[in-house]
Amino acid sequence: MPEAASAQAARATIGDSEFDRDTAVTRREAGVYDIDLNVGWTIQNALNGGYLLAVLGRALADALPHADPFSISAHYLTASRPGPAVVRTDVIRTGRRLSTGQASLFQRDEEGQEVERIRVLASYGDLDALPDDVRTTAEPPAIPPMDQCFGPQDAPDRVAGRSAIADRLFLKLDPSTLGWAVGAPSGKGEMRSWFGLADGRDADPLSLLLAVDALPPTAFEIGLSGWVPTVELTVHVRCRPAPGPLRITITTRNLAGGFLEEDAEVWDSTDRLVAQSRQLASVRLG
Amino acid sequence: MPEAASAQAARATIGDSEFDRDTAVTRREAGVYDIDLNVGWTIQNALNGGYLLAVLGRALADALPHADPFSISAHYLTASRPGPAVVRTDVIRTGRRLSTGQASLFQRDEEGQEVERIRVLASYGDLDALPDDVRTTAEPPAIPPMDQCFGPQDAPDRVAGRSAIADRLFLKLDPSTLGWAVGAPSGKGEMRSWFGLADGRDADPLSLLLAVDALPPTAFEIGLSGWVPTVELTVHVRCRPAPGPLRITITTRNLAGGFLEEDAEVWDSTDRLVAQSRQLASVRLG
C-alpha cells in the first residue's frame, strides 16, 4: 500500500478522492459538460495530458451506455490551462458489446473565443462482462521493492521547480531508470515506477488514463532535456485493476526526426496487465 | 525487388498503380469525397481495414495543408462493403508543423440510409521537413531471405477460399510464423513477412497504412481460428519509406478477455523503422 496513503488517517476511496473531485464533470445539457481544470495536476505550468484524458473519459462514460474505455485515442491540439473548460460529446454508435463516442475539450481564449484543446475518439464497453481468459505472454516488470525506489516524497519539499502534480501522485521510480535525475542518463529509453494516487485512492479504469502519462518522459533517460509535448495518445484498458499499487513501464524504441513513441504498460497488484498505451510525442533535442 | 513485380514487363509507380487507382477519392465539394471501394481488397467478403484506412488517409491528405499522416487513429464501427462510399472530412486545426483533421467513411444501407463505417482522427505533417536525426534502439527483424519465405504466390491459384487481396499484395511470410497454415501454430503471437504491392509499386506513407494491417492475424499463430475484427487501429508514420520491399513484424503480447493488441513495425530496405502501429481487435476463441 502506498506509504503516502498508509500515513493518512483514512485512505481516499474511488468516488471520494482528489482525482474524482478534480475530474468531476457537471452535465449542463445533453452531451455537454462543465469542468474546472484543477491547477493541482500541472507539471510546471502545463496540465498533465493524462489528467485531461481522464476528464474527457469521464464525460464519455456519462454520455455513452457503456462505462469503461476499452480504447481511447486523443489528439492534443493546444495547451490546456487550469480553469473553466467545456467538454462536448457526440455518441457515434451504440452496440451491445461496444459503444463509440467522440469528445472535445474547449477553453476560452483572451478574446472569449472557444479554442479546442483536445479531440478524442473512444470505444467503450463493460470490463466486468468480459470472459476471464488470459493468455498474456507479457511478463510483469522487474521493479525493485518500493522501499528501494525513489519519488518526489523522498525529495525535500518545496524545492524550486517542484510541480504541483508531485503532491497528487505516489511515484516510486526504479533507480536504474533515474540516472537522468543525477545527470547520468542511461541512454536507454526506459522508465519504470510504482504508481498510486497520493491520497491512497485505488486505481480504476479512468485513473489508468492518468497513470499511462504520469511518469517522467523517457526522453530524460535518453539524455534529452526540455519539453516533450504529446501529439497523440491512445490507451487500451484491458482489465479493471485490483486494489493496491500499480507498476508502470514506459519504453521508447524509436527516437527519430524530432519525434518519439512512448509505450506504457500498467500492471496491477495481481500481476495482471491492465492497460497498454502508446503516444507520439515531439521532442526538442537538448 | 518483389518477384511478382520483376515478372512484369513494367513495375507500377507511385501514382499509377492498383493501390492508387483503388484508393483514389473524387472531391465532390469542399471536404466531401466519393470513392468506389474496390472488391480487390477483400479478405473473404470483408474489405481490409488497412485499405479502408488508406482511403480515409488519402482524403485527409487532400483536405489538410499537410500531406503525410504522422499519427492516424481509426475506430471501426460497421463492416464496409465493396461499392460506393463517401468520405466526409473536417479540418480541426492547421499549424505550421502539424495539422489535425477528422474523417468518416459512410455507405448506404438497404433502405438508402447513410451508415458510418469508420471514424478517424489524424495529425498530418511533412515527413520531408523532419530533421534526419535517428536514435532508434529497435533492431530490424530477422526474416529469412525472400526465397526461403512463403506467400500466396507459392500456393496453387484459385484454391477455395483464396481471398481477392492475395492478388494485390506481395507477401512472403517467415516460415517460423507459418505453423498455423499447416495446422501447427507456434503458440507465439508473432507474424513476420516481406511486404510489397503485387504490381511492384513502391511504398509511400499512404500505402504504409495498408501494410500495417495486411498480414494474417497473429491470433492464427496463437492457435485461434475465426474472425479478428479490428476495434481501433492507430498508425504512426515516422519516415518516408525507401524504394524496395518492406519487412513487417506483428506482435501480440496480451490476449485476454476476448481482445488482443497487434503491434506492427514496418522496416524499409535501408533498415529504417518507417511505421509503428497498434490495434485492438476482438477475437472469437476457436
Side-chain angles (χ1 to χ4, degrees), chain A residues 70-78 90 92-93 97-98 100 102 116 119-123 130-139 187 189 222-224 231-232 234 236 238 252-261 263-265 267 272-273 276-280 282 285-286, chain B residues 70-78 90 92-93 97-98 100 102 116 119-123 130-139 187 189 222-224 231-232 234 236 238 252-261 263-265 267 272-273 276-280 282 285-286:
Chain A
F70 278 27
S71 175
I72 181 165
S73 311
H75 287 250
Y76 291 76
L77 306 168
T78 56
D90 172 32
I92 301 171
R93 176 179 177 272
R97 285 179 71 209
L98 293 173
T100 307
Q102 174 174 322
E116 188 167 0
R119 191 173 295 197
V120 162
L121 285 180
S123 295
L130 298 182
D132 57 8
D133 65 287
V134 178
R135 300 198 202 177
T136 302
T137 57
E139 294 290 335
I222 298 174
L224 306 177
V231 174
E232 173 269 329
T234 296
H236 298 174
R238 301 297 303 277
T252 295
R253 303 174 66 239
N254 189 29
L255 165 61
F259 290 86
L260 55 73
E261 96 285 8
D263 281 2
E265 283 188 3
W267 294 78
R272 180 77 186 262
L273 179 51
Q276 293 166 288
S277 76
R278 174 176 290 162
Q279 70 172 266
L280 181 69
S282 172
L285 298 183
Chain B
F70 279 26
S71 175
I72 182 165
S73 311
H75 286 250
Y76 292 76
L77 307 167
T78 56
D90 172 30
I92 301 170
R93 176 178 177 271
R97 285 179 71 211
L98 293 173
T100 307
Q102 175 174 321
E116 187 167 1
R119 191 173 296 198
V120 161
L121 285 180
S123 294
L130 298 181
D132 57 8
D133 64 287
V134 178
R135 299 197 203 178
T136 303
T137 57
E139 294 290 335
I222 298 175
L224 307 177
V231 174
E232 173 268 330
T234 296
H236 297 173
R238 301 296 304 277
T252 294
R253 303 174 66 239
N254 188 28
L255 165 60
F259 291 86
L260 56 72
E261 94 286 8
D263 281 2
E265 283 188 4
W267 294 78
R272 180 76 187 262
L273 179 52
Q276 294 166 288
S277 76
R278 174 175 291 164
Q279 71 172 264
L280 181 69
S282 172
L285 297 183

Side-chain angles (χ1 to χ4, degrees), chain B residues 195-271:
Chain B
F195 177 90
L197 291 163
D199 61 8
R201 179 211 194 257
D202 281 318
D204 70 351
L206 285 177
S207 72
L208 292 177
L209 304 184
L210 163 69
V212 297
D213 194 42
L215 270 56
T218 53
F220 289 179
E221 197 58 359
I222 298 175
L224 307 177
S225 58
W227 196 236
V228 189
T230 301
V231 174
E232 173 268 330
L233 168 61
T234 296
V235 185
H236 297 173
V237 176
R238 301 296 304 277
C239 180
R240 186 175 305 283
L246 303 169
R247 285 155 298 168
I248 302 177
T249 65
I250 315 270
T251 307
T252 294
R253 303 174 66 239
N254 188 28
L255 165 60
F259 291 86
L260 56 72
E261 94 286 8
E262 279 198 1
D263 281 2
E265 283 188 4
V266 183
W267 294 78
D268 74 6
S269 58
T270 67
D271 281 351

